[in-house]
């Protein structure tokens, strides 16, 4: 039996066994459980496991911070759950509507966040090839790179279909068929841009990269499918449940749900833009300054839909430009800790955490270094606020989605109103200030010698 299998068995045991697990997903560093009864969790035993860095008991999920090995641990857990699948039970979602919303967003978006991060790097390569005129934009090489970097975001509803179907407990292949139908008009030049029905203009070519319409389409499908399964005889259900589900949902989505959800998305993007434009400097400083608190409480993935909606509606986003400074602030604080560590173990932890933060994964820096020595986290937030204020002041935008914030995706700040150089300046400030503050404070106050309780 492998180490990961043994660890997976222990985690399942200490979260209340298989029957207590309603849903599990993961992000870059965390296992995210939706549990039926959190009282069955054994925190002391979980903390005793070698790979467990931190437990985060948020209202929406029970999260176990593992670190870079989370994917292997998740796979081992899923394999064991497949062998010991509990009897399906109807459960009532617990917590406030905010908690349920955050849990739903996390379940829908986190499973493929790694792919989006990888594609973001490829997109950065495409931008560099284009802006530096390294290849002909009609060449084979550029065409392949462009397809690899753009296909995921145009076809994003297909990704949403899979995870939303799992979350809403409906057939994922029917969900894929429904969202594929939403995207299809974009592939056929013969389909008109809009249809005029009863005085209403229905645009069927607006769902490439659509977030809210895809989520609500699959949610509606889950209700229709369950209703059809109740009224269609089992003998005919195999064919007619998906057939009628697609017909009913297709017309409702294209006629009602899709257009309304699209307007909701536009409203959200415009509402965010209005708040941001009240004072870009204050907005940038505030959001970047508290950005890593979202990570501490495990709700940072709730920001993803907002950034995606901004990209879809406006063609650019500003919130991820601010959050880049939030990451670099904690990176700077952890990096500074390398120079004030009083023993080899502390230095090794700070080096490892800094490497992870450099690649945009801040949990090891937060839990292993910065929160442990309180003021380092504060210094990171100060640097982040300064960097965020700069991005707001100078109107820095990103022209593609940044799921993981690191220097390898700086190319995505290049666009029609490119201010990439200002983003570079902002993250240098966000990194340097906490690094210097940490070194100075650590040398004068012997900070690392007395960690916070």
């Amino acid at each position: 039996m492998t180490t990961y299998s043994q660890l997976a068995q222990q985690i399942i045991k200490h979260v209340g066994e298989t029957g207590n697990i309603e849903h599990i997903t993961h992000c870059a560093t965390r296992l995210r459980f939706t549990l039926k009864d959190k009282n069955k969790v054994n925190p002391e035993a979980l903390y005793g496991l070698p790979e467990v860095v931190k437990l985060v008991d948020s209202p929406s999920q029970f999260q176990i911070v593992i670190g870079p090995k989370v994917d292997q641990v998740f796979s081992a857990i899923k394999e064991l759950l497949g062998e010991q699948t509990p009897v399906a039970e109807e459960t009532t979602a617990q917590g406030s509507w905010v908690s349920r919303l955050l849990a739903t967003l996390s379940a829908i978006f986190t499973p493929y966040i790694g792919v989006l991060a990888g594609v973001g790097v490829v997109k950065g390569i495409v931008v560099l090839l284009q802006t530096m005129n390294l290849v002909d934009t009609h060449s084979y090489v550029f065409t392949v790179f462009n397809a690899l970097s753009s296909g995921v975001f145009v076809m994003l509803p297909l990704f949403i279909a899979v995870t939303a179907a799992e979350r809403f407990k409906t057939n994922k292949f029917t969900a894929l068929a429904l969202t594929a139908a939403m995207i299809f008009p974009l592939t056929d030049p013969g389909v008109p841009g809009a249809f005029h029905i009863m005085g209403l203009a229905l645009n069927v070519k607006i769902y490439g990269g659509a977030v809210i319409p895809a989520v609500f389409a699959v949610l509606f499908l889950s209700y229709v499918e369950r209703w059809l399964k109740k009224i269609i005889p089992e003998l005919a259900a195999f064919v007619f449940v998906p057939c009628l589900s697609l017909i009913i949902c297709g017309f409702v989505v294209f006629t009602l749900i899709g257009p309304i959800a699209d307007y909701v998305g536009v409203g959200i993007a415009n509402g965010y833009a209005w708040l941001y434009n009240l004072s870009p400097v204050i907005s940038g400083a505030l959001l970047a300054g508290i950005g890593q608190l979202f990570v501490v409480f495990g709700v940072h993935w709730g920001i993803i839909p907002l950034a995606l909606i901004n990209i879809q509606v406006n063609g650019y986003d500003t919130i991820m430009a601010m959050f880049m400074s939030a990451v670099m602030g904690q990176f700077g604080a952890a990096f500074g800790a390398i120079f004030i560590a009083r023993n080899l173990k502390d230095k090794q932890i700070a080096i490892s955490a800094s490497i992870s933060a450099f690649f945009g994964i801040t949990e090891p820096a937060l839990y292993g270094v910065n929160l442990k020595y309180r003021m380092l986290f504060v210094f990171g937030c100060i640097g982040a606020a300064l960097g965020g204020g700069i991005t707001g002041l100078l109107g820095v935008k990103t022209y593609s989605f940044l799921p993981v914030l690191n220097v390898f995706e700086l190319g995505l700040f290049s666009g029609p109103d490119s201010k990439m150089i200002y983003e570079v300046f902002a993250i240098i400030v966000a990194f340097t200030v906490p690094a210097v503050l940490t070194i100075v404070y650590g040398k004068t106050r012997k900070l690392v010698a007395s960690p916070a309780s």
Side-chain angles (χ1 to χ4, degrees):
M1 183 179 293
T2 67
T3 302
Y4 292 123
S5 295
Q6 293 173 337
L7 179 60
Q9 279 188 338
Q10 292 299 309
I11 289 175
I12 291 172
K13 175 182 177 182
H14 298 312
V15 297
E17 300 291 355
T18 305
N20 195 40
I21 300 173
E22 185 176 292
H23 186 266
I24 177 175
T25 185
H26 75 95
C27 56
T29 58
R30 305 177 186 219
L31 297 170
R32 293 168 172 264
F33 289 90
T34 302
L35 302 175
K36 296 176 182 178
D37 184 0
K38 289 184 180 180
N39 293 322
K40 294 183 179 180
V41 174
N42 187 339
E44 292 79 12
L46 286 171
Y47 269 120
L49 299 177
E51 299 292 345
V52 173
V53 177
K54 181 76 174 177
L55 304 180
V56 180
D57 186 6
S58 71
S60 57
Q61 294 173 324
F62 182 76
Q63 303 167 17
I64 303 178
V65 181
I66 298 293
K69 298 179 181 178
V70 67
D71 188 52
Q72 294 93 321
V73 178
F74 174 79
S75 297
I77 291 175
K78 289 294 285 185
E79 185 176 347
L80 291 174
L81 292 179
E83 297 171 1
Q84 310 169 19
T85 305
V87 177
E89 299 177 14
E90 287 294 325
T91 57
T92 303
Q94 299 177 358
S96 67
W97 69 270
V98 175
S99 298
R100 297 197 298 272
L101 176 62
L102 288 173
T104 298
L105 292 175
S106 173
I108 291 174
F109 290 104
T110 56
Y112 46 84
I113 204 68
V115 173
L116 294 182
V119 170
V121 176
V122 178
K123 188 73 172 178
I125 295 173
V126 170
V127 172
L128 290 176
L129 291 175
Q130 190 170 14
T131 55
M132 299 178 68
N133 295 317
L134 296 177
V135 297
D136 185 349
T137 55
H138 295 95
S139 69
Y140 173 74
V141 171
F142 183 84
T143 299
V144 172
F145 265 111
N146 193 40
L148 292 171
S149 65
S150 302
V152 169
F153 294 105
V154 174
M155 304 296 177
L156 188 61
L158 300 180
F159 289 76
I160 292 173
V162 175
T163 51
E166 292 178 351
R167 179 66 182 179
F168 300 138
K169 297 180 174 60
T170 190
N171 187 291
K172 66 178 66 176
F173 297 105
T174 308
L176 278 168
L178 178 60
T179 52
M182 295 169 67
I183 297 171
F184 174 76
L186 292 171
T187 68
D188 187 353
V191 176
F195 292 88
H196 297 276
I197 300 174
M198 295 185 294
L200 298 175
L202 299 177
N203 191 341
V204 296
K205 290 191 172 186
I206 56 175
Y207 301 116
V211 174
I212 295 180
V215 171
F216 279 98
V218 178
L219 177 61
F220 180 64
L221 169 66
S222 68
Y223 287 101
V224 172
E225 188 177 70
R226 281 195 287 271
W227 172 67
L228 289 173
K229 285 180 178 179
K230 292 179 181 179
I231 64 172
I232 295 177
E234 188 175 344
L235 188 64
F238 181 76
V239 173
F240 286 100
V241 167
C243 171
L244 294 176
S245 293
L246 285 173
I247 292 174
I248 295 170
C249 293
F251 277 97
V252 173
V253 166
F254 278 115
T255 307
L256 189 64
I257 292 178
I260 292 175
D262 184 61
Y263 282 124
V264 170
V266 171
I268 290 173
N270 291 339
Y272 165 76
W274 179 78
L275 289 172
Y276 173 78
N277 289 326
L278 287 176
S279 177
V281 176
I282 294 176
S283 297
L286 179 62
L287 285 174
I290 66 171
Q292 287 297 294
L293 284 174
F294 291 104
V295 177
V296 172
F297 292 108
V299 297
H300 49 299
W301 296 114
I303 303 298
I304 288 177
L306 179 56
L308 285 168
I309 289 167
N310 285 338
I311 293 290
Q312 184 194 6
V313 174
N314 300 319
Y316 63 84
D317 173 56
T318 55
I319 195 167
M320 286 302 175
M322 305 172 197
F323 273 60
M324 179 80 87
S325 292
V327 169
M328 290 300 158
Q330 297 304 319
F331 172 31
F335 183 79
I338 296 173
F339 301 94
I340 58 174
R342 300 196 65 195
N343 56 60
L344 180 60
K345 181 180 178 182
D346 286 344
K347 185 180 290 287
Q348 288 174 335
I349 292 173
I351 291 172
S352 175
S354 296
I355 292 172
S356 294
F358 173 74
F359 287 100
I361 308 300
T362 56
E363 279 93 339
L366 288 172
Y367 299 122
V369 182
N370 298 353
L371 286 172
K372 184 178 179 182
Y373 303 107
R374 290 180 187 156
M375 286 305 297
L376 273 67
F377 178 74
V378 174
F379 294 152
C381 291
I382 292 171
L386 292 173
I390 291 170
T391 62
L393 174 67
L394 301 176
V396 179
K397 306 178 183 71
T398 175
Y399 293 90
S400 188
F401 176 58
L402 299 172
V404 176
L405 303 167
N406 58 48
V407 295
F408 297 103
E409 299 193 358
L410 281 172
L412 302 184
F413 288 86
S414 181
D417 184 25
S418 179
K419 296 181 178 178
M420 182 171 63
I421 188 63
Y422 298 146
E423 179 65 19
V424 173
F425 176 62
I427 65 176
I428 289 174
V429 171
F431 169 83
T432 304
V433 169
V436 171
L437 287 175
T438 296
I439 293 171
V440 172
Y441 192 79
K443 294 293 185 181
T444 58
R445 299 288 295 272
K446 301 186 184 299
L447 179 65
V448 177
S450 55
S453 59

